[in-house]
Amino acid sequence: AGVITTSNNGKNWFDSNSDSNVNSHIWNFNVLAKPVKDLTVQGFLRLKNIHRDSIATYFNDNTGTFDFSKDQTHDISARTNNTTFGEAVRVSYKGIKQITPYFEAELQQGDIEIKEKENGNSGFFQRDTDRDYDKQTYTVGMGFYPFRKFSGSVQYRKIFKKNEYDDDLDTESRTNPLDTAGYSAFIDKQDFDTDIYTTRLTAHPTSSVSTTFRHEYRSQEIDSKMDGLNRELAHVDMQTFSGSVTFTPISNLFITSMAMHQNLRAKTRARNDARSASRGFEGDSTTFINSVIFALNEKTEFSADYQATMTGNYDESVTNYSPDPTGLPLEHDYTMQTLTLGVKHQVRKNMSLWSRYSLYDFDESHMSDIDDYTEHLFAVGGE
């Protein structure tokens, strides 16, 4: 809980509980056609609607020593309605020896409405946000098979996404932080322009060994317009390298190992103003995944998985940023490890029983280890 702050900017929430009712409806229309030899055309029309009603109760201890006293009770009801309409087409051609080119185009339009309010209190929390978005995705690529035991693919994807926000209960004044007329929305429009380049290579040197390498480079420009006046531009680029090896020394033993490294960089100039801080950060993460599946016989199967993720993110002091030392201290270095052991047994032809045990260990270094935890999971099931 830390030090209790009784001002309007300090809240000590606890014991939240909520009930939600969610209804989802999806309609799909798919078509597959081969108008000429070696040419395949696929398309779909999709309409999706998700409606959620919920109510949540929060307690707030905002006086004296933190002792979980229910000084304030807040019942907040919410309603979300998400409607999306999408259409897409994919064209591929297999008439060229050892090469398969393809083209994809997908258009998506959506509307998301969020209403939230505190029951019995008109001033604490209110929100009525309507978000309209339009998304366009275009993809060109090809798969190639120059040798019997070697294949690969290259792909370029372009994504445009435009968001518009209408906040009917927006906070009236940005200069007065105590003005709580409504939800403190500040983004009116936000546009994303994304380029993604992907390369994948697969080799089968022997019948029992297969390897895969994948590289992805993602570049994104974000243009945000706030309050109809201010504007902020940001650039994000991310590179992902991954490789895996699968080994089956005997027919009933399956071993796979994968490593993935990701580098993320982001730069933004607040409000597109030379007098404001140019904030930037860079983060790295590395993940290792190892899996073993062993079939004891036709009815019993054992499995073991070990996964570790290590990050080295944002450990630069914010005072190093120029021209202004303000910004976000985005330090977050941690190691996450997971070990999972499982067994599955077929009791009879149409019935199987399984059990699984998982151990999670999280270790961070940026906040005196207060977020460290160990978690155990045991599950059983039948099919």
Side-chain angles (χ1 to χ4, degrees), residues 276-306:
S276 299
S278 179
R279 301 192 295 269
F281 60 83
E282 181 173 359
D284 294 275
S285 66
T286 303
T287 299
F288 300 95
I289 301 175
N290 299 277
S291 300
V292 177
I293 298 176
F294 175 68
L296 180 64
N297 50 47
E298 293 183 355
K299 294 185 177 181
T300 305
E301 177 183 282
F302 296 95
S303 63
D305 299 275
Y306 172 74

Side-chain angles (χ1 to χ4, degrees), residues 18 21 24 38 62 65 78 82 130 194 246 262 272 299 309 327:
S18 63
N21 182 34
S24 301
D38 299 321
N62 64 346
T65 304
N82 183 350
D130 186 67
T194 307
T246 301
Q262 192 172 81
N272 199 27
K299 294 185 177 181
T309 299

Side-chain angles (χ1 to χ4, degrees), residues 177-225:
L178 302 182
D179 186 349
T180 57
Y183 175 69
S184 56
F186 58 93
I187 297 179
D188 292 331
K189 295 182 179 181
Q190 196 167 49
D191 297 340
F192 296 84
D193 187 346
T194 307
D195 297 279
I196 305 173
Y197 304 86
T198 306
T199 302
R200 181 184 60 82
L201 302 173
T202 301
H204 301 273
T206 67
S207 59
S208 61
V209 177
S210 65
T211 62
T212 300
F213 170 79
R214 186 176 182 274
H215 172 253
E216 179 183 287
Y217 174 74
R218 179 186 295 257
S219 177
Q220 187 174 66
E221 299 286 342
I222 305 173
D223 186 356
S224 305
K225 298 178 182 179

Side-chain angles (χ1 to χ4, degrees), residues 52-263:
R52 177 193 298 267
D53 287 296
S54 64
I55 183 168
T57 301
Y58 301 92
F59 303 113
N60 181 21
D61 180 357
N62 64 346
T63 59
T65 304
F66 185 72
D67 56 0
F68 291 98
S69 61
K70 300 177 182 179
D71 299 327
Q72 294 180 348
T73 300
H74 302 280
D75 291 317
I76 298 177
S77 61
R79 172 174 293 179
T80 302
N81 192 68
N82 183 350
T83 303
T84 302
F85 181 74
E87 57 272 4
V89 62
R90 175 187 169 94
V91 181
S92 60
Y93 184 68
K94 296 184 178 181
I96 305 175
K97 187 177 181 181
Q98 297 174 329
I99 296 178
T100 304
Y102 61 89
F103 169 77
E104 300 174 356
E106 181 176 354
L107 307 178
Q108 188 179 99
Q109 303 82 39
D111 176 82
I112 302 176
E113 184 181 43
I114 302 175
K115 294 179 180 290
E116 295 174 325
K117 68 176 182 178
E118 181 177 10
N119 302 326
N121 187 339
S122 61
F124 174 70
F125 192 93
Q126 291 184 329
R127 180 178 182 180
D128 187 352
T129 300
D130 186 67
R131 171 196 170 199
D132 295 303
Y133 70 89
D134 181 86
K135 183 179 179 181
Q136 304 175 43
T137 304
Y138 304 96
T139 305
V140 293
M142 70 173 184
F144 52 88
Y145 319 90
F147 310 108
R148 184 172 63 89
K149 295 185 177 182
F150 180 82
S151 63
S153 65
V154 292
Q155 178 182 278
Y156 168 69
R157 176 168 290 172
K158 184 74 171 180
I159 303 174
F160 300 101
K161 189 172 184 180
K162 295 181 179 294
N163 297 283
E164 292 190 8
Y165 301 88
D166 183 13
D167 296 284
D168 293 336
L169 291 175
D170 200 354
T171 302
E172 294 177 359
S173 172
R174 300 289 180 263
T175 59
N176 181 10
L178 302 182
D179 186 349
T180 57
Y183 175 69
S184 56
F186 58 93
I187 297 179
D188 292 331
K189 295 182 179 181
Q190 196 167 49
D191 297 340
F192 296 84
D193 187 346
T194 307
D195 297 279
I196 305 173
Y197 304 86
T198 306
T199 302
R200 181 184 60 82
L201 302 173
T202 301
H204 301 273
T206 67
S207 59
S208 61
V209 177
S210 65
T211 62
T212 300
F213 170 79
R214 186 176 182 274
H215 172 253
E216 179 183 287
Y217 174 74
R218 179 186 295 257
S219 177
Q220 187 174 66
E221 299 286 342
I222 305 173
D223 186 356
S224 305
K225 298 178 182 179
M226 287 78 77
D227 304 335
L229 298 174
N230 301 320
R231 184 182 181 190
E232 179 170 298
L233 301 176
H235 175 77
V236 179
D237 67 79
M238 181 171 62
Q239 291 201 73
T240 304
F241 301 87
S242 63
S244 65
V245 177
T246 301
F247 182 43
T248 53
I250 55 179
S251 59
N252 60 337
L253 180 61
F254 179 88
I255 304 172
T256 183
S257 181
M258 188 190 80
M260 181 177 69
H261 179 76
Q262 192 172 81
N263 175 262

Side-chain angles (χ1 to χ4, degrees), residues 334-381:
Y334 68 88
T335 299
M336 175 72 181
Q337 299 183 83
T338 305
L339 175 65
T340 301
L341 304 176
V343 60
K344 185 176 182 179
H345 179 69
Q346 186 176 2
V347 181
R348 55 182 63 184
K349 184 178 180 179
N350 61 346
M351 181 182 292
S352 297
L353 300 177
W354 58 265
S355 65
R356 185 177 300 119
Y357 166 75
S358 294
L359 170 65
Y360 302 88
D361 182 74
F362 182 83
D363 179 31
E364 57 81 24
S365 60
H366 69 290
M367 293 179 63
S368 303
D369 304 320
I370 63 172
D371 289 332
D372 291 1
Y373 71 87
T374 299
E375 179 179 318
H376 301 271
L377 168 69
F378 180 72
V380 295

